[in-house]
Amino acid sequence: MHTVPVIGGQAGWTPQTGWYDYDSIDENTQNREECRVYEFPSRIDSKAQRDGSGPHRGRGEFFRNLSTEAISEFGSITETHCYPGTTVLIKEEEEPSRVLFLLEGKVKLSMNSIDGKRLILAIAWPGEILGLTSAISGVPHVITAETHLPCMITSLQRQAFLGFLMHYPMASQNVMRELSLHYNRTAQQLRTLGLPSTAPEKFARLVLEWCKDGEETKRGVRIQCPLTHGEIGEHIGASRETISRVMKDFKSRGLVEQHGSILIVPNLEALEACDYAI
């Protein structure tokens, strides 16, 4: 893991729109440089990203219904750079100075405890704004944002961002919608982490939550999961060993199937109703 200034770009890497198909989500397969790339839609504005109809690459709530003038001005006050995987973009307790817009790749949003344990709050997808809450409130960041894959980031100074919101009310409305999405995501994370009492229950809730963004197929819901067992554990406060054991049990009971970095849930009702005791 390394930290770089967000205003500096990474030369020699060509950004591509895609999700990265790793050979396995086990700890032994963490090579994030050699991977195959496929097209994937934005989580927030998928239709606009697929057909190119939306403004500013068709990504995210922020650019919804913005005028041509607003989009042009936004482009004049921003900088776009590329970053490799495992680059820290935002650090906890850091004063907010810039606002980051994720255009390509994925970013892990996490919190660290005093004893060094990490909790992954979410994976940010293209179209999301990083550091938005602190940019609006002015308080230090309470999360760490680290690139999970090579990323393309557009950024601008915090004061320029606030001035843009004052000048364009539609952008302010879109920011309110974005903040609401962040709140709902945090509430879902708390539900997954706090309500279940066992690691299998937490893992099942996490998989069911992922299924909402999954692909319906004849074999079940298909989920792209380029996470190691350790990273899945960081989502629910469990160890890598626990996740490996839970995954093995779920596969043996037919609750999930694993094919490299792809998870398939054959029957959502069976996963919801299952007795999670191991």
Side-chain angles (χ1 to χ4, degrees):
M1 182 188 304
H2 55 286
T3 305
V4 299
V6 75
I7 59 174
Q10 175 70 15
W13 174 75
T14 302
Q16 303 178 65
T17 302
W19 52 260
Y20 294 71
D21 188 13
Y22 299 97
D23 293 332
S24 172
I25 60 174
D26 292 327
E27 289 290 332
N28 293 331
T29 57
Q30 300 187 54
N31 187 338
R32 295 177 179 173
E33 299 298 329
E34 299 179 2
C35 49
R36 291 172 291 168
V37 183
Y38 302 84
E39 182 180 5
F40 75 96
S42 167
R43 190 175 188 178
I44 296 178
D45 198 357
S46 57
K47 181 181 183 299
Q49 181 168 326
R50 286 196 300 270
D51 60 22
S53 62
H56 201 79
R57 297 176 176 264
R59 290 176 172 84
E61 292 294 320
F62 181 77
F63 303 102
R64 178 179 295 191
N65 298 326
L66 287 188
S67 66
T68 302
E69 176 190 357
I71 295 171
S72 177
E73 180 174 335
F74 183 84
S76 70
I77 61 177
T78 59
E79 299 176 338
T80 300
H81 299 285
C82 302
Y83 300 92
T86 67
T87 298
V88 176
L89 303 171
I90 295 174
K91 296 175 63 177
E92 291 178 55
E93 302 182 0
E94 186 177 53
E95 293 291 332
S97 61
R98 301 185 71 87
V99 183
L100 314 181
F101 290 74
L102 179 59
L103 299 182
E104 308 284 355
K106 297 181 183 179
V107 173
K108 288 192 295 185
L109 307 178
S110 63
M111 301 178 70
N112 295 291
S113 65
I114 297 177
D115 58 359
K117 293 182 180 179
R118 182 169 65 165
L119 173 67
I120 295 179
L121 301 174
I123 301 295
W125 289 56
E128 298 193 43
I129 307 175
L130 309 177
L132 180 59
T133 303
S134 293
I136 297 297
S137 66
V139 302
H141 293 292
V142 296
I143 64 167
T144 293
E146 176 189 352
T147 57
H148 188 57
L149 302 171
C151 291
M152 180 192 292
I153 302 286
T154 285
S155 69
L156 72 164
Q157 293 287 344
R158 174 175 175 261
Q159 290 303 321
F161 175 71
L162 296 177
F164 185 86
L165 297 184
M166 291 290 290
H167 193 195
Y168 296 102
M170 180 57 67
S172 296
Q173 294 180 32
N174 292 343
V175 162
M176 293 298 294
R177 188 180 297 110
E178 178 88 2
L179 287 171
S180 297
L181 291 173
H182 290 186
Y183 171 80
N184 289 336
R185 181 171 61 188
T186 301
Q188 290 293 339
Q189 174 70 6
L190 289 174
R191 181 179 290 111
T192 299
L193 185 63
L195 295 182
S197 59
T198 67
E201 286 182 273
K202 293 178 181 180
F203 176 71
R205 284 185 177 269
L206 181 63
V207 172
L208 289 170
E209 187 64 27
W210 286 343
C211 284
K212 294 178 181 179
D213 296 311
E215 176 188 358
E216 293 282 353
T217 71
K218 294 181 179 179
R219 297 175 57 186
V221 179
R222 181 179 184 273
I223 307 167
Q224 172 67 22
C225 180
L227 300 176
T228 66
H229 287 181
E231 289 170 329
I232 294 175
E234 289 173 356
H235 271 84
I236 61 175
S239 67
R240 178 186 62 81
E241 293 79 10
T242 296
I243 295 300
S244 297
R245 186 173 66 252
V246 171
M247 181 75 78
K248 180 179 179 180
D249 178 73
F250 275 37
K251 288 191 289 187
S252 68
R253 297 161 72 175
L255 297 176
V256 298
E257 299 176 12
Q258 179 185 346
H259 305 277
S261 64
I262 301 298
L263 292 181
I264 295 177
V265 180
N267 190 316
L268 291 177
E269 290 75 15
L271 184 59
E272 291 174 342
C274 181
D275 177 5
Y276 299 119
I278 295 182

